[in-house]
Amino acid sequence: MKKWIALLCLALCLLLPLSALTERVDLEHDVSLTLSMTEDGKGLPGVAFNVYRVASMDDEARFVLLNGYRIGDTNLNKVEGAAAWSALAQKLAPQVGSPTAFATTDQQGKAVFSDLMSGLYLVKAESVEIGHWVYDAGVFMVSVPGKTDGKWQYDTVADVKYQRSPKTMELKVIKQWKDTGYTSERPGKITVNLYRDGALDDTVELNARNNWTHTFTGLETIHTWTVKEHTVPTGYKVAYSQKNGAQIITNTYQPKTSSGQSIPQTGLLWWPVPLMAVLGMALVIIGLILRRKWSGGQ
């Protein structure tokens, strides 16, 4: 008799729909979403998240795509695996409009969204720079409520996966010449060395064709970057300065005197010197003439 009762119960279970054997979603229950973004146990603050409700959910946890969204032949209720969900997020991301809600992570790295409606959400994160690194979580999908160990979690907590990449910068190098009247001494090109933390990393050739200018890109800010002219042209003196974030390399020509020594180009005007010498000699001669005249008259 007991055997027949057990078989009857098994048959009844087999006849029941699968949904009857699973816990239904309480659509009247308040739901929330907490996104957690941490690194080495410490929260990453200041990460901005937008969430977009793209599908509703019925009490059997079936999603129904909201009007305005298109996913082609994809069956929303048969998406499985991280790769498939990621592909769905990439497909939906260009279609979203105004966000359903917005939040930013606090010092504990948590962004909380309350008073949400049950459904499927697209989450879009904005890249954030912290120190010398850029953190980017991109876009991903999350169900609210979510299920853990067969139980519906109406206060859903999701650990956000992200990519971390070094923060980069640009370094513009400009060559300036101070050699008016001596441009024939100027070389047709120069080589500039780029150093990373004191070690040679790259070289570039500057010339008239590139307007004596070059911009190094993709330089990781975690390092110290400097530039130096590889070989200073003969007859020139080099100086380094910065202006508007650019590195200026100035070559000033040093003309030589008859003795072979260089005359520094300080920006002073030299043309009055011969004139002043002539005027000085004239004053001396006039003085001697007047002296003789006055002496003869005594």
Side-chain angles (χ1 to χ4, degrees):
M1 183 67 178
K2 292 182 179 181
K3 181 179 180 180
W4 284 105
I5 293 176
L7 291 174
L8 179 61
C9 291
L10 177 61
L12 289 174
C13 289
L14 292 175
L15 291 175
L16 287 174
L18 183 61
S19 60
L21 302 178
T22 60
E23 181 184 0
R24 290 179 177 269
V25 180
D26 182 0
L27 299 180
E28 300 299 322
H29 201 294
D30 293 335
V31 295
S32 67
L33 171 64
T34 299
L35 300 176
S36 178
M37 195 163 170
T38 62
E39 181 179 47
D40 298 330
K42 297 181 179 180
L44 294 175
V47 184
F49 289 95
N50 290 314
V51 297
Y52 306 82
R53 187 168 181 260
V54 298
S56 61
M57 175 190 287
D58 63 18
D59 62 354
E60 294 182 5
R62 292 176 299 194
F63 296 121
V64 178
L65 198 67
L66 298 182
N67 291 333
Y69 293 107
R70 300 290 183 270
I71 57 175
D73 297 332
T74 302
N75 187 328
L76 197 56
N77 294 290
K78 292 186 178 181
V79 178
E80 295 182 357
W85 281 112
S86 178
L88 179 62
Q90 297 296 330
K91 186 180 294 185
L92 287 170
Q95 304 179 44
V96 298
S98 300
T100 304
F102 168 87
T104 303
T105 55
D106 57 18
Q107 291 299 318
Q108 287 71 46
K110 298 184 183 299
V112 180
F113 301 86
S114 55
D115 298 326
L116 296 180
M117 297 177 63
S118 299
L120 181 65
Y121 286 82
L122 170 78
V123 181
K124 183 181 291 188
E126 297 180 11
S127 298
V128 63
E129 296 180 359
I130 302 177
H132 293 290
W133 301 96
V134 178
Y135 297 83
D136 188 1
V139 294
F140 55 94
M141 309 299 300
V142 62
S143 172
V144 182
K147 209 168 192 180
T148 303
D149 298 328
K151 297 290 185 178
W152 288 109
Q153 304 297 322
Y154 293 94
D155 295 315
T156 304
V157 178
D159 292 323
V160 178
K161 295 180 179 181
Y162 57 85
Q163 291 183 339
R164 189 187 78 163
S165 57
K167 182 181 176 181
T168 61
M169 57 173 280
E170 295 183 349
L171 180 58
K172 187 176 183 179
V173 183
I174 302 173
K175 161 61 70 177
Q176 291 184 346
W177 298 96
K178 289 187 177 181
D179 54 0
T180 303
Y182 299 94
T183 55
S184 60
E185 302 295 328
R186 184 185 302 180
K189 61 183 179 180
I190 66 159
T191 299
V192 174
N193 294 334
L194 174 69
Y195 295 89
R196 180 180 63 181
D197 300 329
L200 182 63
D201 183 82
D202 198 2
T203 61
V204 65
E205 182 181 289
L206 301 184
N207 50 51
R209 290 190 300 274
N210 56 28
N211 201 27
W212 302 97
T213 301
H214 178 77
T215 301
F216 295 98
T217 61
L219 307 183
E220 299 178 359
T221 61
I222 197 171
H223 300 289
T224 299
W225 300 92
T226 55
V227 295
K228 186 177 181 180
E229 190 168 5
H230 183 71
T231 302
V232 180
T234 302
Y236 286 84
K237 181 180 180 181
V238 67
Y240 299 90
S241 61
Q242 290 187 350
K243 183 178 181 180
N244 298 328
Q247 182 72 50
I248 312 297
I249 303 176
T250 304
N251 279 7
T252 302
Y253 188 70
Q254 306 287 294
K256 295 181 178 180
T257 64
S258 58
S259 63
Q261 296 181 340
S262 296
I263 302 175
Q265 297 292 298
T266 61
L268 297 177
L269 298 177
W270 292 95
W271 64 265
V273 174
L275 178 61
M276 296 299 292
V278 172
L279 291 175
M281 291 295 293
L283 290 174
V284 171
I285 294 172
I286 293 172
L288 290 172
I289 294 173
L290 291 175
R291 181 179 180 182
R292 288 178 180 178
K293 181 178 179 180
W294 291 337
S295 296
Q298 292 179 350

